[in-house]
Amino acid sequence: MSDTAAPAKLGELEHVTVSNDGEPSTCTIFPRNCSEEKLVTHWITAEETSFVALDRWQ
C-alpha cells in the first residue's frame, strides 16, 4: 500500500472463505474493484483460529 492510499470504505471490500478438510478455514479479504495487477499484492488472509467475535474483542 502506498503512503497516499486511502483506507477502504464500507462496502469496498470482498471476501472469500475457504473450508479446508480437517484444517482451519481461511478468509481472504481484498478490494472489490482491484485490477488483476494490483490484486496480487492487495489482500490479506486469516485462519479461522485468528477470528474473534466482535462482542469478545472489547
Side-chain angles (χ1 to χ4, degrees), residues 8-18 26-35 39 42-46 51:
K9 296 177 185 172
L10 185 62
E12 290 184 350
L13 299 176
E14 290 281 340
H15 76 279
V16 174
T17 302
V18 176
T26 58
C27 180
T28 301
I29 303 168
F30 51 93
R32 181 181 305 263
N33 296 315
C34 196
S35 69
L39 189 57
H42 287 64
W43 56 269
I44 187 168
T45 296
F51 305 148

